[in-house]
């Protein structure tokens, strides 16, 4: 699920993935798409591995609050 103010739709999030998989450098793709390098990397890793759910926004809260990792 995308948050209400997301600029890029799920279909739009596939574009940088396709470009990165095609061999374009992440630093060029992120600038052209107007996203951060971290976001481009995350989508390029999570998208192919998890499919559409991997491109959805995730909670920013920690997975657990009392564990020591």
């Amino acid at each position: 699920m995308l948050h209400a103010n997301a600029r890029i739709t799920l279909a739009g999030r596939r574009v940088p993935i396709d470009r990165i998989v095609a061999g374009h450098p992440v630093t060029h793709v992120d600038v052209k798409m107007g996203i951060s390098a971290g976001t481009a990397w995350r989508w390029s890793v999570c998208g192919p591995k998890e499919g559409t759910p991997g491109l959805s926004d995730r909670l920013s809260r920690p997975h657990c609050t009392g564990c020591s990792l």
Side-chain angles (χ1 to χ4, degrees):
M1 177 178 198
L2 299 177
H3 65 83
N5 297 324
R7 291 181 339 151
I8 301 175
T9 64
L10 286 176
R13 292 178 181 199
R14 299 236 30 106
V15 173
I17 292 170
D18 294 341
R19 290 181 182 175
I20 292 168
V21 169
H24 295 273
V26 174
T27 54
H28 294 165
V29 173
D30 62 2
V31 170
K32 288 188 182 278
M33 295 294 298
I35 57 177
S36 70
T39 298
W41 274 112
R42 185 175 67 246
W43 290 348
S44 68
V45 171
C46 296
K49 185 169 51 172
E50 300 175 15
T52 302
L55 299 176
S56 297
D57 293 327
R58 298 174 185 212
L59 296 175
S60 58
R61 68 174 179 82
H63 291 285
C64 63
T65 55
C67 57
S68 58
L69 299 174

